[in-house]
Amino acid sequence: MGKTRRIKAIKHRESAELWEEYRRIRNHVLALVKSAKREFYQNSIQENFYKPKKLWQHLKQLLPNSISAATTFLIDSGRSIVDPGEMSNSFNAFFANIGKNLASAIDCIYPCLARQVPYNVNYFIPPVSCDFVLKELFKGVEVR
């Protein structure tokens, strides 16, 4: 008897207690497998942090390897769009205006800033080189 048939037999013919026991054990095993996978990948990423080839081998196992289907339609302001050019323009309009739309949704930005930062104060941010940034980023990090 195959796995599926045994499960159906337990579910339909046997007692509800057996079915509950099966589900409890199944969920426990799945949780253990999930936890073990998470721990394995976390450890492998940490161990191979300075070994790009091995690191990418492990990362590729985590990433989906199939190409998802293309978007066939889009609903924008209640209107269904199927033309790829129009969908592209709709996406572009959304992302081009997202900053402006979010800023307009924040009513208290200027009053809040006015309370926190004096109006007549000037700030100077000195230029920073790439070398400086890299040195600061890797302070205390052992590079192999």
Side-chain angles (χ1 to χ4, degrees):
M1 185 183 301
K3 176 183 170 185
T4 306
R5 293 177 98 188
R6 283 193 303 257
I7 293 171
K8 285 183 180 179
I10 290 171
K11 185 176 181 181
H12 294 292
R13 295 187 193 126
E14 302 292 331
S15 69
E17 295 154 357
L18 283 176
W19 177 242
E20 287 300 318
E21 179 72 8
Y22 163 78
R23 288 178 50 209
R24 187 184 63 74
I25 293 171
R26 179 199 63 196
N27 292 344
H28 179 69
V29 169
L30 290 175
L32 289 174
V33 168
K34 186 177 180 180
S35 175
K37 282 183 179 181
R38 183 183 317 113
E39 186 176 332
F40 169 78
Y41 284 113
Q42 285 176 343
N43 290 339
S44 67
I45 288 170
Q46 288 176 352
E47 289 171 9
N48 297 305
F49 190 75
Y50 294 106
K51 301 172 191 169
K53 186 174 182 178
K54 287 187 178 185
L55 178 64
W56 278 107
Q57 286 174 348
H58 291 288
L59 290 176
K60 284 179 184 177
Q61 291 174 357
L62 291 172
L63 300 172
N65 57 2
S66 62
I67 299 171
S68 61
T71 304
T72 56
F73 74 96
L74 175 69
I75 297 176
D76 183 17
S77 302
R79 188 174 65 100
S80 182
I81 302 171
V82 294
D83 178 53
E86 282 187 62
M87 286 194 308
S88 176
N89 289 335
S90 180
F91 276 116
N92 185 43
F94 174 80
F95 287 107
N97 294 312
I98 197 165
K100 182 177 71 173
N101 293 342
L102 286 174
S104 67
I106 302 172
D107 294 332
C108 77
I109 189 76
Y110 295 111
C112 291
L113 282 176
R115 285 190 304 237
Q116 302 296 324
V117 180
Y119 177 73
N120 57 353
V121 174
N122 293 326
Y123 295 95
F124 174 73
I125 300 173
V128 178
S129 69
C130 289
D131 290 336
F132 174 78
V133 171
L134 289 172
K135 285 178 187 174
E136 291 297 311
L137 284 173
F138 291 110
K139 264 187 185 174
V141 175
E142 180 184 327
V143 180
R144 296 178 193 176

